Amino acid sequence: MFSFLQLSRPIDGIHSDTIFYILGYKINNSTLFSVLILALLAVVCFFVIKRFRQSPGRLQILFEIIYGLVENLILQITGSKKETRIILPFIGAIFVFVLASNLLGIIPGITSITYDGKMLLRIPTADFSTTLALALASFVIIQILSVKDFGIFGYIGKYIKVKELYLGFRQGFKQGMLAMVEFFVGFLDIIGEVAKVASVSLRLFGNMYAGMVLATVMSGVLAYALPTFLVAMGLLVAVVQTIVFTALITVYYTMAVKIDTAEDL
Amino acid sequence: MEVEAARLIAKAIVMTSMLGTAIGEGYLLGKGFEAMGRNPEISDSLFTKMIIGVAMAESTAIYALVAFFIM
């Protein structure tokens, strides 16, 4: 009846599409967009940093606000300035990339450019490969820093608690049995580490992909005026999910290393 | 039963897991704001922790959503 108000199109698939091949490697639409975003960020950062002055201009103030926000977020979670200095470059890079890709995807029309019947630019965070790659990279970094902090035997001892088992049985039977339980819980921690990667990457992917699907479904109901609220909602989700993703990685980092709390804030 | 019908029923069952997330998030946010109202000085630190807690509670719903889409 009101079909002229509706705009129906098929829901985007959960997989990203292959656009072309380079030397046998698939180049997907999300890869294309993430390379574009990285190039854009690199160029913008290069020109802004080259023109850093004592009295900042507008663009410099924006960069300083973002830096302050990320630094404050990490400082609140770790509670130590030393740890903040160590992890800030990595977390900050992830923050800027995820924020840029979430926000650029909201620009109307940018995902409507098609090539060969496929979407040319897909939001990188709406593809599971990107979020899994980010989560895996941070997982590797966190484990390396953990080994650096505890030493190789201390690190293995966190998961296979042979030392606690020995000490427990020397104290008595009851303590020994409790140490036995701890020993098996240590194996569960290994699964826990993998589950962290899965949960943090699935969360970001799920939110962004749900946003895409919701936009398609809503324009099937009413294509005019209704998407405005979706865009407003999308802006909120984009920023909140970026903060959640970086905050969770920082929390996992805090759990994996020794934090010196004696130092003042 | 037809396969398509069974698939749709399975999707509906998956969506019911979001009920728990709604309850958990509501409880968390309510308690968080209560604490902030009592002690406004630490509200910045509380807000960050509250957002992380909400994200943790939300993960069940996200798993359900992903299961819904791949089903």
Side-chain angles (χ1 to χ4, degrees):
Chain A
M1 187 171 156
F2 293 111
S3 61
F4 64 94
L5 285 174
Q6 293 159 354
L7 220 145
S8 65
R9 63 192 175 92
I11 290 173
D12 303 309
I14 203 155
H15 303 287
S16 52
D17 303 313
T18 307
I19 302 291
F20 56 87
Y21 293 85
I22 292 180
L23 303 171
Y25 287 104
K26 282 189 211 167
I27 302 296
N28 285 12
N29 43 15
S30 59
T31 320
L32 214 61
F33 202 5
S34 52
V35 168
L36 195 74
I37 286 169
L38 284 177
L40 202 73
L41 281 176
V43 168
V44 169
C45 286
F46 180 74
F47 280 110
V48 168
I49 287 167
K50 225 174 83 171
R51 291 175 55 211
F52 260 15
R53 270 169 297 148
Q54 198 71 35
S55 56
R58 271 187 207 159
L59 210 55
Q60 191 180 337
I61 286 178
L62 176 72
F63 272 60
E64 282 173 5
I65 285 172
I66 292 175
Y67 180 84
L69 193 105
V70 179
E71 192 186 27
N72 198 24
L73 181 78
I74 299 171
L75 194 60
Q76 271 178 10
I77 294 168
T78 57
S80 132
K81 272 199 170 148
K82 185 171 148 272
E83 299 296 334
T84 308
R85 265 201 307 279
I86 294 172
I87 199 71
L88 180 63
F90 181 68
I91 299 281
I94 288 185
F95 183 89
V96 170
F97 173 69
V98 173
L99 186 69
S101 59
N102 284 359
L103 286 180
L104 282 178
I106 294 176
I107 297 174
I110 206 159
T111 52
S112 311
I113 307 164
T114 51
Y115 169 82
D116 207 4
K118 295 167 193 159
M119 201 194 293
L120 185 61
L121 297 171
R122 185 188 167 113
I123 311 168
T125 43
D127 181 13
F128 186 52
S129 323
T130 317
T131 57
L132 185 66
L134 285 175
L136 271 179
S138 42
F139 170 77
V140 170
I141 293 268
I142 286 168
Q143 299 308 319
I144 288 171
L145 287 172
S146 183
V147 170
K148 216 176 111 192
D149 250 33
F150 285 97
I152 188 81
F153 288 109
Y155 174 73
I156 295 168
K158 269 205 307 182
Y159 298 105
I160 302 168
K161 293 172 174 161
V162 183
K163 194 180 157 201
E164 279 86 347
L165 199 65
Y166 174 69
L167 287 176
F169 269 112
R170 276 193 61 176
Q171 276 183 351
F173 184 71
K174 195 181 158 197
Q175 278 85 0
M177 276 307 172
L178 280 176
M180 200 76 152
V181 174
E182 286 284 311
F183 184 71
F184 287 114
V185 169
F187 285 112
L188 284 181
D189 283 350
I190 300 174
I191 302 170
E193 291 291 325
V194 180
K196 277 177 196 167
V197 174
S199 91
V200 81
S201 56
L202 275 176
R203 177 174 301 120
L204 184 58
F205 161 69
N207 271 291
M208 288 294 121
Y209 182 63
M212 271 169 68
V213 172
L214 203 61
T216 313
V217 172
M218 281 295 166
S219 56
V221 176
L222 182 62
Y224 301 94
L226 196 57
T228 317
F229 300 106
L230 267 183
V231 171
M233 188 70 184
L235 279 172
L236 182 73
V237 168
V239 175
V240 166
Q241 286 307 316
T242 313
I243 291 173
V244 164
F245 189 79
T246 47
L248 280 177
I249 288 174
T250 319
V251 169
Y252 296 155
Y253 170 74
T254 324
M255 281 152 81
V257 297
K258 267 189 262 185
I259 297 282
D260 204 6
T261 44
E263 182 189 16
D264 60 329
L265 272 174
Chain B
M1 198 190 288
E2 283 179 42
V3 177
E4 186 62 28
R7 226 161 56 89
L8 287 177
I9 290 170
K11 278 190 175 190
I13 292 170
V14 160
M15 293 304 265
T16 57
S17 73
M18 292 187 177
L19 190 71
T21 301
I23 295 169
E25 272 185 33
Y27 189 78
L28 243 165
L29 285 166
K31 284 283 175 189
F33 286 134
E34 209 173 84
M36 274 183 216
R38 283 218 191 95
N39 200 347
E41 292 100 67
I42 57 161
S43 60
D44 274 358
S45 151
L46 264 181
F47 188 74
T48 317
K49 286 179 185 116
M50 193 180 75
I51 288 287
I52 292 168
V54 168
M56 290 281 189
E58 206 186 42
S59 51
T60 321
I62 299 296
Y63 297 152
L65 192 76
V66 173
F68 179 85
F69 282 130
I70 63 176
M71 229 184 251

